[in-house]
Structures are given as structure tokens and as C-alpha cells.
Amino acid sequence: MGRTVTIGEVFVETHTKSDGTYVDRKAEMIAQTYEQNVRDRLLQLKAEASAVSDGTSRPRELTNEEYTTIFLEVKCCSLNLLTLSLWLFCH
């Protein structure tokens, strides 16, 4: 991949079947909420960048820590310890 994988990407990868469907409705809701929250944050960064620039600069990228925070906000209390341990082990 050439970059660090985010915990949200690990979650989606480990909670989808080979046909692309989620293993259950809860996993689907978590993934969809996470992806929407990431989109919302990226739109916020874009708006902030355009408000303070001449239109030629690009908004900054989200850091891995920000992706993790967004994911944990969605999944905070019911985060599967095994998935978290695997993610932490890989980083």
C-alpha cells in the first residue's frame, strides 16, 4: 500500500465477506458511520483551507491519529479487543 493502514480500514476488511457485504448489520452501521464521519471531517478541512487561502492550496490530509479518533468515537465502547490488539501489533 505504501502507507500506514488505518484502524477503520482494518475494521472494514475484517468485517466484510468476500462478496463485499458486511458480516452483520452492526458492522455495516459502524463502517458507514465511520466513513461518513471521515467524509464530514475532510469537508471541514477543505472549507477551512478555502477560507484562509487564495484557492490554490490544498487542504491538509487527516493523520492516522485523526482517523483512529474518528473510528473510536464511532465504536468506542464496543471495540473488539482482538481487532484493536491486531491493529496495535501491526503498528
Side-chain angles (χ1 to χ4, degrees), residues 21-87:
T21 60
Y22 289 93
V23 295
D24 57 30
R25 183 72 180 131
K26 182 178 178 182
E28 182 178 10
M29 292 299 296
I30 290 168
Q32 288 176 346
T33 303
Y34 167 73
E35 290 165 355
Q36 182 61 53
N37 289 354
V38 167
R39 284 191 298 272
D40 291 347
R41 181 66 178 126
L42 290 170
L43 285 173
Q44 181 183 17
L45 290 175
K46 185 177 180 180
E48 289 170 2
S50 66
V52 296
S53 76
D54 60 2
T56 60
S57 63
R58 296 181 53 200
R60 71 174 180 80
E61 302 281 327
L62 288 173
T63 65
N64 251 19
E65 291 78 18
E66 289 171 309
Y67 279 109
T68 299
T69 299
I70 293 168
F71 181 79
L72 293 176
E73 287 171 352
V74 172
K75 182 103 171 91
C76 113
C77 296
S78 60
L79 185 61
N80 180 316
L81 185 57
L82 180 59
T83 302
L84 178 59
S85 298
L86 175 62
W87 185 82

